[in-house]
């Protein structure tokens, strides 16, 4: 990965380059930011630049033996840690057991999300974690001498998914690492990482990508008109993965949109019905919806609640009639043009709280059918508020 291939983030690129040139590289760096801003790409580019034998013009050469292996993600001194879904039956219990899939995933997805990795593993309905056993692998690798490079690099993606025992076992080596060891931790929820790990790492906040940089990349990679690129860059809100999802409207987002609109329309319809028999029919329909959503995996359910909270915010803001403040796809905006008046100051806080509570309950393994049906009933009541 070259620095020049990363979208925007010029300030961090210069920071990394200066640290290498002055030989003042912090041994543990925590790259924090939302999905799709290029955190992993920055980590890969730094790992390649650090060990390049012919650096020039503020980037790695791409042709020295180290760069060739880094580009293929097969350098013996480059190590990966990432959340996995453990499978005792097939004896796949640590990250190295998933390396072929992970390398292929990275080579085809420079900007990616946690849910996309779950899909790549074929485990979209499960939760991926970094298990305790991984700490033994990390310590073993880092206590070996470097094979070829100046620096041994350990990239840990989503340390917030790390089992606490695993995190605790890493504290000493983070504090006193072997010489020429570089830890790059990449997080989307830094506050969920152990404070002792945070204190041992230099935090770098990776900001949202400027819309102009996203526009340039879209224009370069896709056959889109300038107006389309501008609209997508606005919706992306600084995340290149969101820009790609807007173009492709991936299956998950389409499913979430359909379920959200179905819930809102059904809840409002049931609330407006006066006849008890018809109301019961409507409630049975919502019960069926709740059963359908309960059949989804827990991670997908949590992602759905997050999506709903975003769309509720967007609908509330839509009423202000300031397009620059809205970040919705064309389909979402078409729905909101009719639905937004029903999301107002008297119910928006209540709706947001109920969806956040439902997400918390699903995380705590509370019966999903009860969670979704309870949410549907509360949505009826809140939509009726005037």
């Amino acid at each position: 990965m070259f620095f020049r291939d990363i979208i925007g983030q010029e300030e961090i690129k210069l920071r990394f380059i200066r640290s290498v040139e002055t030989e003042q590289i912090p041994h543990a760096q925590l790259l924090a930011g939302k999905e799709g801003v290029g955190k992993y790409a920055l980590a890969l580019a730094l790992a390649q630049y650090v060990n390049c034998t012919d650096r020039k013009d503020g980037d790695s050469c791409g042709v020295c033996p180290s760069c060739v292996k880094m580009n293929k993600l097969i350098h013996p001194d480059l190590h990966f840690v990432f959340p996995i879904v453990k499978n005792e039956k097939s004896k796949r219990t640590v990250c190295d057991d998933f390396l072929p899939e992970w390398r292929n995933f990275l080579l085809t997805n420079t900007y990616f999300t946690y849910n996309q990795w779950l899909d790549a593993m074929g485990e979209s309905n499960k939760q991926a974690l970094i298990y305790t056993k991984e700490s033994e692998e990390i310590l073993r690798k880092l206590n070996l001498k470097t094979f070829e490079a100046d620096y041994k690099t350990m990239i840990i993606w989503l340390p917030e998914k790390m089992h606490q025992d695993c995190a605790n076992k890493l504290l000493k080596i983070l504090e006193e690492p072997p010489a020429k060891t570089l830890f790059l931790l990449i997080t989307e929820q830094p506050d969920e990482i152990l404070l002792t790990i945070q204190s041992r790492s230099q935090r770098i906040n990776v900001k949202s990508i400027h819309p102009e940089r996203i526009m340039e990349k879209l224009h370069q990679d896709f056959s889109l008109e300038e107006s389309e690129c501008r609209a997508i860059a606005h919706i992306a809100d600084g995340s290149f993965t969101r820009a790609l999802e807007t173009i492709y409207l991936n299956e998950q987002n389409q499913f979430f949109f359909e379920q959200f609109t179905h819930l809102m329309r059904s809840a409002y319809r049931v609330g407006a019905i006066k006849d008890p028999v018809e109301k019961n029919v409507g409630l049975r329909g919502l019960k069926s919806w709740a059963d359908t959503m309960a059949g989804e995996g827990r991670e997908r359910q949590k992602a759905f609640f997050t999506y709903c909270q975003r769309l509720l915010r967007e609908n509330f803001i839509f009423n202000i009639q300031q397009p620059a403040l809205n970040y919705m796809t064309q389909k979402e905006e078409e729905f909101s043009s009719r639905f937004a008046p029903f999301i107002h100051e008297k119910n928006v806080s209540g709706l947001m709280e109920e969806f956040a509570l439902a997400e918390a309950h699903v995380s705590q393994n509370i019966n999903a059918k009860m969670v979704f049906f309870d949410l549907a009933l509360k949505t009826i009541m809140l939509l009726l508020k005037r």
Side-chain angles (χ1 to χ4, degrees):
M1 171 63 67
F2 296 100
F3 284 126
R4 61 177 175 267
D5 291 334
I6 297 170
I7 308 167
Q9 308 300 356
E10 302 304 329
E11 183 179 335
I12 296 175
K13 293 178 196 176
L14 288 174
R15 176 177 180 163
F16 283 165
I17 292 166
R18 288 196 196 102
S19 70
V20 175
E21 299 306 323
T22 58
E23 297 184 355
Q24 295 180 333
I25 308 171
H27 74 273
Q29 302 182 54
L30 180 66
L31 280 67
K34 66 182 183 182
E35 282 183 345
V37 296
K39 302 183 297 297
Y40 211 102
L42 284 164
L44 287 174
L46 175 58
Q48 181 166 313
Y49 188 71
V50 162
N51 292 310
C52 176
T53 58
D54 189 22
R55 296 189 288 265
K56 57 183 71 174
D57 301 324
D59 217 335
S60 48
C61 69
V63 295
C64 69
S66 175
C67 283
V68 170
K69 291 175 184 176
M70 285 285 183
N71 269 322
K72 294 178 180 178
L73 308 178
I74 57 173
H75 198 291
D77 296 309
L78 176 64
H79 306 286
F80 300 104
V81 175
F82 45 87
I84 61 170
V85 177
K86 192 162 58 173
N87 190 327
E88 298 286 357
K89 187 177 291 185
S90 63
K91 298 182 179 178
R92 302 208 321 161
T93 58
V94 294
C95 294
D96 278 3
D97 298 328
F98 293 80
L99 266 182
E101 295 100 316
W102 181 246
R103 286 182 176 128
N104 182 61
F105 181 71
L106 288 182
L107 290 169
T108 54
N109 301 274
T110 308
Y111 292 76
F112 54 88
T113 68
Y114 171 72
N115 286 325
Q116 287 171 348
W117 169 233
L118 287 179
D119 289 340
M121 284 191 290
E123 302 286 3
S124 57
N125 289 331
K126 296 183 180 178
Q127 183 178 22
L129 298 169
I130 300 172
Y131 296 93
T132 303
K133 189 175 180 180
E134 199 63 46
S135 59
E136 300 170 12
E137 290 295 302
I138 294 171
L139 295 173
R140 179 184 63 80
K141 291 171 183 174
L142 294 184
N143 283 316
L144 296 172
K145 291 183 178 180
T146 55
F147 287 90
E148 301 173 8
D150 284 341
Y151 276 84
K152 189 179 296 179
T153 306
M154 177 70 66
I155 302 179
I156 304 177
W157 181 53
L158 303 186
E160 58 267 34
K161 301 285 184 183
M162 191 179 289
H163 193 280
Q164 188 164 352
D165 287 345
C166 179
N168 285 328
K169 288 181 179 180
L170 294 183
L171 293 178
K172 183 170 179 59
I173 199 165
L174 270 174
E175 189 168 14
E176 300 175 7
K180 299 282 183 133
T181 298
L182 177 59
F183 280 97
L184 297 173
L185 294 83
I186 301 164
T187 178
E188 287 159 11
Q189 297 174 307
D191 294 339
E192 293 189 13
I193 301 172
L194 283 180
L195 288 174
T196 43
I197 287 183
Q198 294 186 50
S199 66
R200 287 163 170 77
S201 309
Q202 184 177 100
R203 178 163 168 172
I204 300 172
N205 292 319
V206 185
K207 298 176 183 177
S208 296
I209 306 170
H210 194 281
E212 291 295 327
R213 302 288 81 77
I214 293 179
M215 278 184 61
E216 290 171 5
K217 183 64 174 174
L218 293 175
H219 187 70
Q220 175 185 326
D221 291 355
F222 299 93
S223 300
L224 298 171
E225 298 292 333
E226 183 178 343
S227 58
E228 292 178 290
C229 291
R230 189 173 300 279
I232 293 168
H234 175 71
I235 292 168
D237 191 25
S239 168
F240 191 65
T241 53
R242 181 126 190 258
L244 295 176
E245 287 172 354
T246 302
I247 292 172
Y248 297 123
L249 192 59
N250 68 10
E251 179 272 334
Q252 178 168 278
N253 277 4
Q254 179 65 27
F255 175 74
F256 288 169
F257 174 70
E258 291 170 355
Q259 297 307 313
F260 176 84
T261 56
H262 178 76
L263 170 62
M264 294 301 161
R265 285 168 175 157
S266 299
Y268 181 78
R269 193 179 303 120
V270 170
I273 293 172
K274 303 299 182 184
D275 181 74
V277 176
E278 289 185 26
K279 189 177 283 287
N280 281 335
V281 172
L283 287 171
R284 283 199 296 272
L286 283 172
K287 177 66 166 56
S288 176
W289 172 85
D291 291 346
T292 297
M293 292 305 300
E296 297 294 318
R298 185 169 60 176
E299 291 303 310
R300 196 163 159 99
Q301 291 169 354
K302 288 160 61 178
F304 171 70
F305 290 129
T306 300
Y307 173 87
C308 291
Q309 290 171 72
R310 179 185 71 79
L311 212 50
L312 285 168
R313 283 194 297 271
E314 294 297 334
N315 274 268
F316 180 67
I317 294 170
F318 191 87
N319 294 309
I320 303 171
Q321 297 183 356
Q322 294 288 332
L325 300 178
N326 273 118
Y327 301 92
M328 293 188 285
T329 65
Q330 185 176 345
K331 281 191 174 183
E332 290 169 346
E333 193 167 322
E334 287 172 358
F335 172 74
S336 298
S337 65
R338 299 182 295 277
F339 177 67
F342 299 98
I343 306 299
H344 44 76
E345 64 277 1
K346 292 183 180 179
N347 65 8
V348 65
S349 295
L351 284 165
M352 292 291 288
E353 287 170 6
E354 292 301 335
F355 275 87
L357 182 62
E359 182 178 354
H361 284 165
V362 163
S363 299
Q364 295 161 7
N365 285 326
I366 294 175
N367 185 288
K369 289 185 179 181
M370 293 175 58
V371 171
F372 278 98
F373 189 54
D374 180 64
L375 177 64
L377 295 177
K378 289 175 177 174
T379 300
I380 294 171
M381 296 167 60
L382 287 164
L383 287 179
L384 290 176
K385 279 195 172 184
R386 291 289 183 270

